[in-house]
Amino acid sequence: MMKKTLLLFALLCCMLQAQAQTSFGERPKLVVGIVVDQMRWDYLSRYYEKFGSDGFRRLLDQGYSYDNCQINYVPTVTAIGHTSVYTGTTPAFHGICGNNFYVDGHKTYCCSDPTVDPVGSDNRKAGCMSPINLLATTIGDQLRLHTDFRSKVVGVSYKDRAAILPAGHSANAAYWLDTKNGCFITSTYYMQELPQYVKEVNAQMARNEELKKVGSKVGFYPLCGHLTTDMAIAALKGEQLGKGDVTDMLCVSYSETDVIGHEWGTRGEHTDEAYLELDKDIARLLKALDEQVGQGQYLAFLTADHGAAHNWKFMQDHKLAAGPWNSDEMKDRIYEHLAGDVGEGSGYIGDILDYRIYLDQDTIQLRGLVLADISHLIVNEVRKEKNVAFAAVYEDLATTAMPSLLRERALLGYYPGRSGDIIFFPNPGYYEYGSWSSPVGTTHGEWNPYDAHIPMLFYGWHVPHGSSSQETHITDFAATVCAMLHIQQPNACIGEPLQFQ
């Protein structure tokens, strides 16, 4: 009896493994990437009993979950996260170093492109966008290359960067929400006129009474997710994705969870409502995929671009270590100390973004000072800050005394000329307070598990049910999907193809 039991178990394992193996001629009809902005990994268990059976629980109960997926770079912010999922690499190679960073000495929004025009509205601030600053290819780019550009790739999101960067350079379309005008738009990088199906979605939005009521603040409400799902399903049907003889790709990102998290934090009725409503949206999207493509005929994955810290006041109220940190106040203290060292203290710091200091090299040169000397004076002052654990000049990272994990993540997040000159790491639970969060809200950007531990779910085509606690990384998505499709990885991919076991 024992031998028979072991034999049956071995056969079952072989069958499960065979499910995950594909021949070179086999591919799904469609790949669907879903990114939930600011979704902590532990939300999967926190809301599991409250989720319906057709959304997140369908992915968990029928798909495969890697329960220890980590972001392997800093800073952990939206533009980088979306880019890293789809390129399989980090800022050191794909060049997207933040939502904002510096290019040739000029502060630059990650997708800003003055050479293109908006399509769908006259709002240039919202519409002059493209993947101009992205240096690497994406899954979609590789899919298009492999099929001689017969595959269709479309990105959809509330945020422009969450639609554009996942879809890549050669995407057929990327659509995002112009909140000022209450409609989905794109840019001339992709097309000269919106397709009819987008116009129809926009016409429906113009009649939406709830949208009229909330207006440009739609991102603070679950309605934002409903509209994103409407647009994703419209693109699915309008582009006839999954209906051709080659694999297509749909990239969907839900952003209201991030807006709500910054405003109200990781706890409370607003965040609860956001995830329970999102569960319904994901169920609706999966149902549309079943109807349009066929159950088992599409490969889906779900993840997050980053997580979020618990609100510092909430933590303190429960006797847990946490607190606010303010970059402007730190800069004032640094200038005060520099005045005693070099005579004039101010003007040496150009900007502080995502726990990185950008030096004003023109001012330093104009005053006849040496950049390296000022860098070391400033980093020494940063290290004296009460709630800073480690700090280093980027060029000195190899010889700076700090844990190897922090050094590696800092280097993987560093692109010369874009990432600044100095990086620092606040103590656990401490985060930038002010511009990116309300008094009861939160933010993100650090290496800690609350920011770096994200969901990693695969579902559908050739994906067995199961889970694993092995450590995986955000960069493994692209490597795994491309391996399953038998296409070349993105051209800067450093991820590892994962096996479902």
Side-chain angles (χ1 to χ4, degrees):
M1 180 63 70
M2 180 63 72
K3 289 183 177 180
K4 288 183 177 180
T5 302
L6 290 173
L7 180 60
L8 287 172
F9 180 75
L11 287 171
L12 178 61
C13 290
C14 289
M15 289 172 63
L16 289 174
Q17 189 173 11
Q19 280 185 284
Q21 294 175 346
T22 61
S23 70
F24 279 96
E26 287 186 286
R27 291 187 182 89
K29 294 181 179 180
L30 179 68
V31 177
V32 183
I34 303 171
V35 178
V36 182
D37 204 323
Q38 202 186 114
M39 183 175 183
R40 293 166 54 106
W41 172 80
D42 59 353
Y43 285 167
L44 291 174
S45 59
R46 176 173 174 80
Y47 294 112
Y48 182 83
E49 298 298 334
K50 296 180 180 180
F51 286 145
S53 59
D54 299 323
F56 281 106
R57 285 182 66 161
R58 179 176 172 184
L59 300 179
L60 286 164
D61 295 345
Q62 299 179 35
Y64 199 95
S65 174
Y66 285 96
D67 295 331
N68 190 21
C69 182
Q70 301 288 330
I71 295 176
N72 53 349
Y73 56 78
V74 286
T76 47
V77 296
T78 297
I80 305 178
H82 281 82
T83 306
S84 296
V85 168
Y86 287 88
T87 62
T89 194
T90 71
F93 302 102
H94 62 55
I96 301 299
C97 300
N99 298 332
N100 296 281
F101 47 88
Y102 281 74
V103 177
D104 297 328
H106 301 286
K107 191 172 184 178
T108 303
Y109 176 66
C110 58
C111 292
S112 180
D113 186 352
T115 70
V116 301
D117 295 315
V119 174
S121 82
D122 58 358
N123 187 349
R124 294 190 61 81
K125 183 178 180 180
C128 294
M129 303 290 171
S130 83
I132 185 173
N133 293 307
L134 175 60
L135 304 179
T137 60
T138 63
I139 301 170
D141 289 330
Q142 296 302 136
L143 187 60
R144 296 262 291 158
L145 279 165
H146 192 83
T147 62
D148 293 328
F149 300 94
R150 290 181 295 142
S151 293
K152 293 181 180 179
V153 177
V154 179
V156 175
S157 183
Y158 162 81
K159 295 180 180 179
D160 52 72
R161 56 187 179 273
I164 292 169
L165 297 172
H169 298 275
S170 65
N172 299 83
Y175 303 111
W176 56 94
L177 199 58
D178 174 358
T179 57
K180 179 181 177 181
N181 293 297
C183 59
F184 279 96
I185 64 172
T186 188
S187 77
T188 52
Y189 179 87
Y190 303 98
M191 62 192 70
Q192 299 299 313
E193 184 179 358
L194 290 178
Q196 184 60 33
Y197 67 84
V198 183
K199 294 179 180 178
E200 291 173 1
V201 169
N202 286 340
Q204 293 173 1
M205 289 172 61
R207 299 189 294 270
N208 189 309
E209 293 301 323
E210 186 179 359
L211 181 57
K212 290 179 183 178
K213 182 178 179 180
V214 301
S216 62
K217 293 188 177 294
V218 62
F220 291 90
Y221 300 90
L223 172 63
C224 181
H226 305 337
L227 299 176
T228 300
T229 306
D230 290 343
M231 185 65 250
I233 293 173
L236 173 70
K237 296 178 178 179
E239 297 288 349
Q240 290 292 287
L241 299 178
K243 291 291 191 179
D245 58 356
V246 294
T247 303
D248 297 321
M249 186 163 194
L250 177 63
C251 310
V252 185
S253 180
Y254 290 97
S255 305
E256 71 279 4
T257 44
D258 183 70
V259 180
I260 289 169
H262 280 295
E263 185 69 16
W264 288 291
T266 60
R267 292 291 189 268
E269 60 180 332
H270 295 285
T271 301
D272 292 350
E273 181 189 25
Y275 279 92
L276 296 182
E277 287 297 309
L278 175 59
D279 182 53
K280 297 174 185 177
D281 282 321
I282 290 175
R284 187 157 61 95
L285 177 60
L286 292 174
K287 182 180 179 182
L289 290 166
D290 290 344
E291 295 172 351
Q292 175 74 9
V293 185
Q295 191 168 354
Q297 299 300 309
Y298 57 89
L299 170 64
F301 63 82
L302 182 144
T303 188
D305 52 347
H306 54 76
H310 293 309
N311 175 267
W312 66 268
K313 186 64 168 58
F314 166 84
M315 295 287 278
Q316 288 186 354
D317 288 345
H318 291 82
K319 302 180 181 180
L320 295 164
W325 176 87
N326 186 278
S327 59
D328 289 332
E329 292 176 2
M330 184 181 77
K331 183 165 66 173
D332 290 340
R333 287 190 290 270
I334 291 172
Y335 282 164
E336 182 179 347
H337 287 93
L338 280 180
D341 293 318
V342 294
E344 188 171 357
S346 63
Y348 299 110
I349 296 175
D351 210 341
I352 301 178
L353 296 173
D354 303 321
Y355 311 102
R356 299 168 300 183
I357 297 175
Y358 292 76
L359 298 181
D360 188 333
Q361 299 188 21
D362 291 338
T363 297
I364 293 170
Q365 184 177 21
L366 186 65
R367 293 177 182 174
L369 300 171
V370 178
L371 179 64
D373 294 341
I374 296 297
S375 299
H376 289 105
L377 286 171
I378 290 176
V379 82
N380 287 336
E381 294 303 324
V382 174
R383 289 170 180 163
K384 297 175 185 177
E385 288 288 308
K386 181 179 179 181
N387 293 310
V388 170
F390 300 95
V393 177
Y394 268 114
E395 293 186 354
D396 295 341
L397 271 171
T399 57
T400 298
M402 69 168 58
S404 58
L405 181 145
L406 300 187
R407 180 183 297 108
E408 181 178 352
R409 293 191 183 189
L411 287 170
L412 287 174
Y414 175 69
Y415 189 88
R418 293 189 177 189
S419 296
D421 303 280
I422 294 168
I423 185 168
F424 58 95
F425 298 89
N427 286 327
Y430 286 81
Y431 58 81
E432 173 75 27
Y433 174 73
S435 61
W436 288 105
S437 63
S438 75
V440 296
T442 187
T443 191
H444 50 84
E446 303 178 53
W447 69 272
N448 309 75
Y450 47 76
D451 282 348
H453 189 188
I454 56 175
M456 188 179 214
L457 304 178
F458 290 90
Y459 172 82
W461 185 82
H462 285 268
V463 177
H465 173 54
S467 65
S468 172
S469 59
Q470 76 174 83
E471 182 173 334
T472 58
H473 301 107
I474 191 172
T475 49
D476 295 336
F477 280 99
T480 302
V481 171
C482 288
M484 294 182 72
L485 298 182
H486 300 291
I487 64 174
Q488 186 58 271
Q489 297 173 348
N491 62 10
C493 183
I494 63 170
E496 297 287 339
L498 302 175
Q499 297 290 325
F500 306 116
Q501 298 178 359

